[in-house]
Amino acid sequence: MKISPTMSLDAVLEKLGPQNATDYEASVMRDVLVRSFDGQELDSLSEAEWLRAYGEMNAEKTTGSHTTTHSGEKLA
């Protein structure tokens, strides 16, 4: 699946591990992935790229700096 603001959260949840991730975490991760890897295949990311994105996702969800909606639109 190509990384995009409208990609299904299911693909992100599957990669995160659906038993360990929430829809919110998947939404934050999708936005992180779009910023760095928009248009690339999700499965083409290296382990290092995935782990860097995972770290960014955790920082955003922990600090509350996630500033986009589930559709990928920026909040005012």
Side-chain angles (χ1 to χ4, degrees):
M1 171 169 282
K2 284 199 185 284
I3 296 169
S4 75
T6 59
M7 72 183 281
S8 168
L9 290 181
D10 292 338
V12 180
L13 276 170
E14 184 176 321
K15 190 144 175 101
L16 285 170
Q19 66 279 10
N20 297 321
T22 65
D23 286 345
Y24 175 71
E25 290 169 319
S27 175
V28 175
M29 184 61 151
R30 177 179 60 193
D31 291 343
V32 168
L33 292 170
V34 167
R35 283 197 305 269
S36 297
F37 307 106
D38 194 17
Q40 293 185 33
E41 290 292 330
L42 181 60
D43 292 336
S44 74
L45 299 181
S46 70
E47 183 176 0
E49 290 169 326
W50 177 259
L51 291 174
R52 181 176 54 82
Y54 187 81
E56 288 179 35
M57 180 270 295
N58 274 312
E60 286 188 23
K61 74 175 185 130
T62 302
T63 62
S65 65
H66 184 63
T67 59
T68 58
T69 65
H70 292 290
S71 66
E73 298 170 356
K74 291 286 183 186
L75 295 175

